[in-house]
Amino acid sequence: MKKYQAEPYKIKAVETITMTTQKEREEYIKKAGYNTFLLESSQVYIDLLTDSGTTAMSDKQWACMMLGDEAYAGSINFMHLQETVREYYGFKHIVPTHQGRGAENLLSSICIKPGDYVPGNMYFTTTRAHQELNGATFRDIIIDEAHNAQLDVPFKGNIDLKKLQALIDEVGPERIPYVCLAVTVNLAGGQPVSMANMRAVKELCSKYGIKVMYDATRCVENAFFIQEQEEGYANTPVRAILKEMMSYADGCTMSGKKDCLVNIGGFLCMNDDELYQKATELVVLYEGMPSYGGLAGRDMEAMAQGIKESVNDAYISHRIAQCRYLGDKLIEAGVPVVRPIGGHAVFLDARAFLPHIAQEEFPAQMLAAQLYIESGVRSMERGIISSGRNKDTGEHNRPKLELVRLTIPRRVYTYAHLDVVAEACIELYKHRNNIKGLKMVYEPKVLRFFTARFEPLS
């Protein structure tokens, strides 16, 4: 029997959650257009929709909330956050934003010109949307193994250097403003990138004067996998691994709502002085002064504390253990999931779970809806709907991975909660042949997965 690390914390405050009846849930999901994003929080028993902003903050972070310097300019809390980012991430400049997509907007607006290409190790929804809205074409350069859900190999988030070189040869380095390197890769199943691959990407890009910008949202989780799986790092603290990772980048976007352990906030980092000057000019228009960027002082102070807590080895090893606990229970029961288990979630393989439902009938969306009806557990689709439409042809983008993400919030749920989730997935899998597809009845033009609505096929 496998052993899993106990929680490296004790519970000081609790929030009551209530289980609804299946009949009630059937009505709730119908009213929500079979879109779990449109459910009300009060209608959900265990909420695995996202790990973004759903963290339980520590006692020290809550104490930091009382230290807010709400000055409009030059906040003491900004100075502390800047000092902390420089110490733990190593970048020279930081521009706070209200959350990660604010940082993505700044980076895309500053760096991209129409006709550019932005290569990356698999798209992320908001990231690609900002890139495309500013005139770029995204090009996926992740290794082929990442598109095979059942292939159990380490570092499936790695960039394929041959694909990157081929793009450089095809369009020229002057049309590639930066490489967007995600650590870890969300839509591949939370898969990490090796230190060797980061180093090699930086070396190749430096030859052509191309910047490397990380999506650092879950960088601490990535550092843990390096410590565990990459030769030479077993005895290196996660904090030191993180610092080395960042040394191979020219900057990063960060959603502090994940690995910085806060409920709101993010930032854009860079080493380039000219890029920083442009960012400070633009952030005033979209976010706020460069010393707060849409955040209260107290939120910046809590984020600085969260950065320090996030690199605690006991914390991050338990974080990964919770994901593996749920994943292992599903694998043992024969439920198809993305392998290996990643850092922030367990991903149900909806293609293998519901092979009788065609991709254009949205199997992952329906699987998420049925899981909610079965158990009150809220998850989310990560497949054809999240992938959106081709901006030139208007056709559906058709990713090879059609997934349902069971995202585990940080320091929120216990192993007993995960038992409930596992049992619901297993029970649903037994009756999978009874599940039908969906049709889309409302589709927004951008980021449709947030607000699209569906009806079951008869």
Side-chain angles (χ1 to χ4, degrees), residues 262-288:
V262 287
N263 306 128
I264 196 67
F267 49 79
L268 172 64
C269 287
M270 70 285 286
N271 292 322
D272 185 279
D273 294 339
E274 183 179 352
L275 192 65
Y276 173 65
Q277 187 60 43
K278 291 179 179 179
T280 58
E281 294 170 4
L282 200 58
V283 74
V284 175
L285 179 62
Y286 288 120
E287 301 274 340

Side-chain angles (χ1 to χ4, degrees), residues 47-254:
D47 201 344
L48 306 187
L49 183 73
T50 182
D51 60 332
S52 180
T54 56
T55 292
M57 292 204 304
S58 70
D59 52 352
K60 291 182 180 178
Q61 285 180 290
W62 282 109
C64 287
M65 296 288 280
M66 300 304 295
L67 302 176
D69 171 16
E70 307 306 340
Y72 190 79
S75 166
I76 294 170
N77 306 125
F78 167 71
M79 303 302 177
H80 188 201
L81 177 60
Q82 179 176 252
E83 174 188 311
T84 304
V85 169
R86 286 173 175 171
E87 179 181 354
Y88 287 85
Y89 292 81
F91 295 114
K92 183 179 179 181
H93 300 298
I94 171 177
V95 181
T97 57
H98 75 283
Q99 62 182 70
R101 69 194 59 168
E104 292 172 347
N105 180 41
L106 291 178
L107 179 63
S108 300
S109 299
I110 293 165
C111 292
I112 292 172
K113 59 184 183 299
D116 280 349
Y117 288 78
V118 179
N121 52 342
M122 200 172 284
Y123 81 97
F124 184 68
T125 51
T126 59
T127 312
R128 188 177 68 186
H130 284 299
Q131 293 164 356
E132 291 180 345
L133 287 170
N134 281 279
T137 298
F138 170 79
R139 187 70 65 87
D140 189 3
I141 55 169
I142 201 168
I143 60 174
D144 291 339
E145 291 87 340
H147 296 285
N148 185 339
Q150 299 306 310
L151 188 61
D152 194 343
V153 297
F155 299 114
K156 285 169 74 174
N158 281 356
I159 278 179
D160 187 322
L161 296 173
K162 291 181 180 179
K163 291 181 183 178
L164 176 55
Q165 182 66 63
L167 180 63
I168 294 171
D169 294 340
E170 176 190 344
V171 305
E174 67 281 355
R175 295 180 67 188
I176 303 175
Y178 59 91
V179 172
C180 183
L181 177 55
V183 287
T184 58
V185 185
N186 188 348
L187 295 185
Q191 303 300 324
V193 180
S194 71
M195 192 76 81
N197 190 248
M198 294 181 217
R199 195 180 299 119
V201 169
K202 178 59 176 173
E203 183 179 341
L204 177 58
C205 288
S206 294
K207 287 172 53 179
Y208 296 97
I210 299 171
K211 285 183 168 57
V212 178
M213 302 297 290
Y214 287 173
D215 176 349
T217 296
R218 299 179 179 89
C219 56
V220 181
E221 293 171 7
N222 200 106
F224 172 85
F225 286 116
I226 290 173
Q227 183 191 63
E228 181 188 60
Q229 300 175 19
E230 192 161 357
E231 186 177 356
Y233 289 95
N235 298 315
T236 306
V238 164
R239 172 179 174 174
I241 294 171
L242 178 64
K243 191 75 169 283
E244 184 183 345
M245 284 170 52
M246 296 302 168
S247 73
Y248 303 123
D250 295 288
C252 75
T253 58
M254 169 59 83

Side-chain angles (χ1 to χ4, degrees), residues 7 22 30 92 162 172 204 263 292 297 300 306 377:
E7 287 80 1
Q22 183 167 326
K30 181 179 179 181
K92 183 179 179 181
K162 291 181 180 179
L204 177 58
N263 306 128
Y292 75 89
M300 290 189 285
V377 172

